[in-house]
Amino acid sequence: NVEMNFFEKISKVIDYIAATNDNKKMDEKYAVVMGITCYIYKIYREISEKKLQNDISGRILFRTMIESYINLKYIMLQEKEIPDVYNRFKAYGVGKYKLIMAKMREGKYSVTDDAQLHQQIMEGLVNEDMDEAFVNTSFGYFDKTQINKKFIYCNEQMLYEIYYEYGTNFSHGFWGAIRESSMLICDNPTHNYHMVPDYNNEQKLRSIQADCDMLLGKLFELISEYIELPDFYYND
């Protein structure tokens, strides 16, 4: 048998989890833990299947994977002190959607019918667990903790100081990321090797595949405290 690569192994673990854990599937904790896990996995899958490992978008997506992982680890660590932390996490996110809906209803902005967000879909999501009148739009529980403090709390300073900060350059379009990804050195010595924009998409970035695998390893180690993983995951 050809040895599975890590992406294939992770995909099979996701299938295994989906087919098991029936005793947990009505729990709020299960919904949030596996919801975030699937979100990270879907990003990882998009990077792998669309071959974005050497692309700008891959780096931006990897930063999102890191932040999602830290949110999950953060709330799992807080569960003992705050038993309803999973409900709070959901309410915080739904409140964010409600704020956008409120702006759309004001009529101040015109959003076209073919825009990526759709008011009726958002209304359905906001009202899914409770009537939106009871959804708190100033739910500041997660805003109150700065992102770098979450990494410290989770003992993941390296993820923040190296990978997250590096990815921030790409998310915000700062010059370091532009220089690395979108500028080339002119090969004409009479031009003193000045920089020129990469109009023809020649510049290739280093692959993020190993970093994605590293993060998924951390993710599955984290959720294994709550979700039983199959034996084949631990086999080389």
Side-chain angles (χ1 to χ4, degrees):
N1 292 338
V2 178
E3 186 179 330
M4 286 187 289
N5 64 33
F6 194 65
F7 172 68
E8 291 169 337
K9 182 181 281 192
I10 289 294
S11 298
K12 289 186 180 299
V13 173
I14 291 290
D15 290 343
Y16 173 87
I17 295 172
T20 56
N21 298 287
D22 285 338
N23 61 322
K24 296 187 178 81
K25 288 181 177 174
M26 298 303 292
D27 296 347
E28 208 71 67
K29 178 177 179 178
Y30 183 87
V32 173
V33 170
M34 289 315 301
I36 297 175
T37 296
C38 284
Y39 185 67
I40 296 170
Y41 166 68
K42 287 190 74 171
I43 296 173
Y44 177 71
R45 182 171 181 157
E46 287 178 18
I47 290 169
S48 296
E49 292 186 345
K50 293 178 169 53
K51 296 181 169 41
L52 304 176
Q53 292 91 336
N54 302 90
D55 294 350
I56 294 168
S57 54
R59 279 159 164 71
I60 295 170
L61 289 170
F62 181 64
R63 180 179 180 270
T64 301
M65 289 169 66
I66 292 174
E67 187 163 359
S68 301
Y69 163 74
I70 283 298
N71 279 335
L72 178 56
K73 188 168 183 177
Y74 182 70
I75 58 180
M76 288 182 76
L77 287 172
Q78 292 216 317
E79 182 183 354
K80 285 182 182 177
E81 298 172 32
I82 307 168
D84 67 339
V85 68
Y86 299 101
N87 277 318
R88 291 192 187 200
F89 179 76
K90 287 177 68 178
Y92 172 73
V94 170
K96 290 285 193 184
Y97 263 36
K98 185 180 175 183
L99 278 174
I100 298 167
M101 276 173 32
K103 295 293 181 185
M104 292 171 72
R105 285 170 175 164
E106 285 175 3
K108 182 179 178 182
Y109 306 106
S110 176
V111 180
T112 62
D113 290 339
D114 56 357
Q116 62 180 298
L117 71 171
H118 192 279
Q119 187 169 327
Q120 287 180 317
I121 293 173
M122 293 183 76
E123 284 174 355
L125 294 171
V126 170
N127 288 281
E128 191 170 44
D129 288 338
M130 69 177 80
D131 187 282
E132 65 180 87
F134 301 102
V135 174
N136 191 336
T137 54
S138 60
F139 214 98
Y141 173 64
F142 289 91
D143 277 343
K144 287 176 184 173
T145 305
Q146 294 176 327
I147 184 71
N148 62 323
K149 297 282 178 32
K150 289 182 186 175
F151 281 86
I152 293 169
Y153 184 84
C154 295
N155 194 27
E156 296 281 8
Q157 291 94 319
M158 179 183 163
L159 271 186
Y160 178 78
E161 294 180 14
I162 305 298
Y163 291 100
Y164 186 84
E165 288 282 54
Y166 174 68
T168 296
N169 289 276
F170 287 85
S171 295
H172 294 298
F174 293 152
W175 182 251
I178 294 167
R179 171 65 186 85
E180 184 181 359
S181 66
S182 306
M183 302 294 293
L184 299 170
I185 298 293
C186 175
D187 56 9
N188 188 333
T190 63
H191 292 172
N192 294 320
Y193 299 102
H194 71 291
M195 290 178 291
V196 293
D198 181 18
Y199 296 119
N200 297 314
N201 194 31
E202 296 172 28
Q203 184 71 295
K204 296 300 176 192
L205 295 164
R206 287 173 60 85
S207 174
I208 63 166
Q209 187 63 54
D211 299 327
C212 288
D213 292 352
M214 172 271 293
L215 188 73
L216 265 291
K218 282 180 170 287
L219 173 66
F220 277 79
E221 182 182 354
L222 175 66
I223 68 170
S224 68
E225 301 167 13
Y226 171 62
I227 302 287
E228 183 184 351
L229 302 183
D231 291 339
F232 69 76
Y233 174 72
Y234 298 100
N235 298 334
D236 294 331

